[in-house]
Amino acid sequence: MSLPEANENKTDQKTKPMVTDEEMDDLNPNLEDDAEEDADQEMNREDEAVELEHITEDGLEKQKKKCLPGILYLGHIPPRMRPKHVRNMLSVYGEIGRIFLQPEDHCIKRKKKKAGSKSSSFTEGWVEFRDKRIAKRVAVSLHNTPMANRKRSPFSSDLWCIKYLHRFQWCHLSERLAYEQTVYHQRMRTEISQAKKETNFYLASVEKSQNLQKLKKKKEKKGEVVEEKSWNFKQRPTEMEIQMKRIKDKGMSEKDLHKAQEKSKAIQEKSQSNVSLLAKIFNRGRAQD
């Protein structure tokens, strides 16, 4: 570096104006104002972020409240239809949750097995839609309409039998199924206990009859007379017998008894004659008509 250049730099440094204390005091308030503005902006941003979070949370809660699940009841399930077929058919209209199809009764399954068929089918079903509004629309639009539009489909000849269950929840279905299972098990227990009682009574009676036969054979060998028990039923008295008994209790003689018998016979004959007269009268009226 040459001497003239160094001298020029020194002269420049000397010629630069010096900043005074008053000027520094004027600059400090400006800097403080800028710092306060930046802090206010950051606080506003934080407040906006919190408000957005609250808004999103409120929106999600409202959506959850609005999107309540709705359950449809299927009254007819054609043979060979499974839950996957129901899901594929109805998922076109909206999001589907749970599906339950009620299988056939055990008695029907046993009859089918005896007949030689291993196929199992369902009688009714329940489908849960995520949004109950969609479930209502599906129930209104698809009821009494064909299940499939294609002729090659095995369900083209079957119709939808759908009903929207108002204020029905999935827990109600589980409670109902649990109740049906408890009732079924209770009924089976009662039937089994009744069958056990009948078998025990039959076996006890068989043992008793065998013991009686052994005693009878022993008595026959000894030469004793065996008395066979017989059922003696006393017949109820007739109306004539009751009347005769009353007359005897009064202490009437035989002549009075015969007279009373004759009177009762005459009364019976008169009643029969009156019947014949009435029959003749009514028959004449019919003949004149």
Side-chain angles (χ1 to χ4, degrees), residues 247-259:
I247 291 165
K248 285 179 182 178
D249 292 335
K250 287 179 182 179
M252 296 175 73
S253 61
E254 291 181 359
K255 289 181 180 179
D256 295 331
L257 290 171
H258 287 297
K259 286 180 181 179

Side-chain angles (χ1 to χ4, degrees), residues 30-31 191 223 249-250:
N30 295 327
L31 293 171
E191 288 178 358
D249 292 335
K250 287 179 182 179

